[in-house]
Amino acid sequence: MAALLCTVGCNPTVIEPTRPDQYTDGLIQIPEGWDAPEFPEDNAFTDVRWALGKDLFFDARLSVDGSVSCATCHLPSKAFSAPEPVTPGALGALGTRNAATLTNAAYQPHFMSEGGVPTLEMQVLVPLQEPSEMGHNIVTACEELAPDYAVQSQAAYGRDLDPFVLTRALATFQRSLLSGSSPWDRWQQGELAISEAVQHGAELFGSEGLACDRCHTPPLFTDHGFANNGLDAVSTDPGRWVLTGDPADSGAFKVPTLRNIGFTAPYMHDGRFQDLDEVLEHYASGGAGHAHQDSGLVPFVLTSEEKSDLMAFLHALNDTAFVNDARWYP
Ligand code: HEC
Ligand code: HEC
């Protein structure tokens, strides 16, 4: 892995940076009032890089048997997640995790449930080489595809398709997946009157008893931290412990965004909950009582009206324009 990271990360090619005001064709649209996402110095946003990344995202030849593309597990219509608890990868191999949404990935400081991958460029290596995902070898995959992508790749990065280009182009496409025009956003911006149910649900979400916003902090609905949210008394998946070696991190996972939550079922790292009712039941129980469970999780009781208000609020985080956006479809 270390040697590979060097192949993709230590290349001397210098590329002129593109400033946000030079983006064209609306391929990247920054939600109102948000900071532009940061682009690495050697991977500034350009339209040709984006277009190359999009083509690669949908190209099943990146998997060893040509059966799955990134989009198999990250479907635009599901806010770039998948509807199965665990989606089979190349050769039908099954992993253990639910495909994460890529909503607003550009703003994330770390990737995967353990948080062990620092950039979107490096993250590409994980699915490509992971036996339960694409099961391929990044060098071989690039060699096979290079002739077909020669023109695009030269236009985007001034070189043929190789791990440098592949990782950067895919990262560029993913950095454009910005979602910030849900009903909740339009309400916050004063553009939309919202129902009392949603307003009440928003209050409950931030109320002392539930304090969902402590971890799922607006506006991205994540604090980018890690927590053990009490799914199991004894964890089957060690989570962040694997990365840090600190037993206090056992059963701790990255706090996911709740944006587009209505599109990203099933829920949690292993997709164990089919719907949001099951999620709320879990939190209302106060958790399974893991030794390292977050100490702030306490049982609560909601009336059926409160529950439906909280649900209405969660659904107000669904950005329908985002999932239907023609930019994401081949
Ligand atoms: C077989 C299914 C599968 C395929 C194919 C797949 N992924 Fe994923 N992806 C997942 C799963 C499962 C996770 C969650 C892993 C975890 O939580 O640790 C994930 C996580 C990610 C993440 C991290 C999200 C986060 O919030 O931490 C990114 C980025 C990503 N995938 C991009 C890609 C790209 C790019 C491709 C194609 C090169 C791809 N994936 C192919 C299943 C897949
Ligand atoms: C202590 C931090 C913390 C608090 C408080 C918290 N959560 Fe979570 N939440 C998490 C973590 C961590 C996960 C991911 C667990 C996993 O991947 O298995 C999560 C996952 C979720 C998911 C599933 C997201 C997905 O994409 O799979 C939903 C929905 C959710 N929380 C809603 C809530 C609601 C509603 C509340 C308040 C009742 C709440 N959370 C309070 C940390 C927290």
Side-chain angles (χ1 to χ4, degrees):
M1 179 95 174
L4 265 171
L5 287 180
C6 207
T7 335
V8 298
C10 312
N11 205 291
T13 308
V14 178
I15 290 149
E16 285 296 308
T18 311
R19 297 200 319 273
D21 58 2
Q22 294 174 317
Y23 302 153
T24 54
D25 295 345
L27 291 178
I28 183 154
Q29 293 170 12
I30 297 153
E32 206 181 305
W34 290 20
D35 291 337
E38 282 176 32
F39 289 88
E41 261 180 42
D42 65 0
N43 198 20
F45 187 91
T46 70
D47 296 351
V48 275
R49 290 174 184 176
W50 181 92
L52 173 61
K54 179 180 170 182
D55 286 351
L56 290 165
F57 194 84
F58 286 94
D59 197 330
R61 292 174 300 170
L62 286 182
S63 62
V64 70
D65 61 352
S67 66
V68 296
S69 70
C70 306
T72 304
C73 300
H74 301 285
L75 283 91
S77 61
K78 301 286 174 197
F80 295 90
S81 72
E84 308 85 20
V86 176
T87 310
L91 306 166
L94 273 184
T96 56
R97 298 255 174 99
N98 178 242
T101 177
L102 304 181
T103 298
N104 297 322
Y107 296 102
Q108 282 197 45
H110 33 229
F111 299 92
M112 311 303 281
S113 284
E114 296 80 11
V117 182
T119 67
L120 281 169
E121 280 79 1
M122 287 186 187
Q123 206 284 329
V124 170
L125 288 167
V126 180
L128 211 103
Q129 312 220 127
E130 166 62 41
S132 66
E133 298 188 11
M134 301 173 117
H136 213 333
N137 172 292
I138 193 168
V139 178
T140 320
C142 288
E143 281 168 6
E144 286 166 9
L145 292 180
D148 289 351
Y149 282 100
V151 174
Q152 263 184 296
S153 183
Q154 284 289 344
Y157 292 97
R159 55 201 282 169
D160 283 340
L161 187 74
D162 61 5
F164 178 94
V165 172
L166 179 84
T167 53
R168 280 165 183 76
L170 279 166
T172 300
F173 175 66
Q174 295 180 83
R175 282 199 182 92
S176 75
L177 306 177
L178 306 179
S179 170
S181 56
S182 65
W184 181 83
D185 292 290
R186 284 181 285 134
W187 171 48
Q188 296 289 303
Q189 290 152 5
E191 288 170 14
L192 184 77
I194 212 149
S195 69
E196 274 182 28
V198 173
Q199 294 184 36
H200 185 221
E203 279 163 30
L204 284 168
F205 186 81
S207 67
E208 215 176 291
L210 277 66
C212 311
D213 64 345
R214 187 160 56 85
C215 303
H216 302 286
T217 315
L220 293 173
F221 291 88
T222 168
D223 63 355
H224 297 303
F226 301 87
N228 179 325
N229 67 341
L231 294 174
D232 301 297
V234 177
S235 306
T236 43
D237 183 328
R240 192 162 163 78
W241 185 11
V242 162
L243 188 73
T244 63
D246 180 352
D249 286 330
S250 96
F253 296 93
K254 191 174 69 165
V255 176
T257 181
L258 299 187
R259 284 184 173 274
N260 294 319
I261 197 71
F263 303 118
T264 62
Y267 302 108
M268 305 300 167
H269 66 277
D270 52 5
R272 68 176 62 192
F273 297 138
Q274 284 306 311
D275 54 39
L276 291 171
D277 284 310
E278 291 183 23
V279 171
L280 289 188
E281 263 170 46
H282 161 68
Y283 281 112
S285 77
H290 189 283
H292 298 294
Q293 178 178 312
D294 182 275
S295 58
L297 293 175
V298 287
F300 58 80
V301 180
L302 296 178
T303 65
S304 61
E305 196 189 332
E306 286 171 331
K307 197 177 151 199
S308 83
D309 291 353
L310 183 55
M311 213 56 107
F313 163 73
L314 291 172
H315 282 289
L317 301 177
N318 297 341
D319 184 348
T320 312
F322 174 77
V323 293
N324 292 330
D325 196 315
R327 279 177 296 164
W328 318 142
Y329 292 88

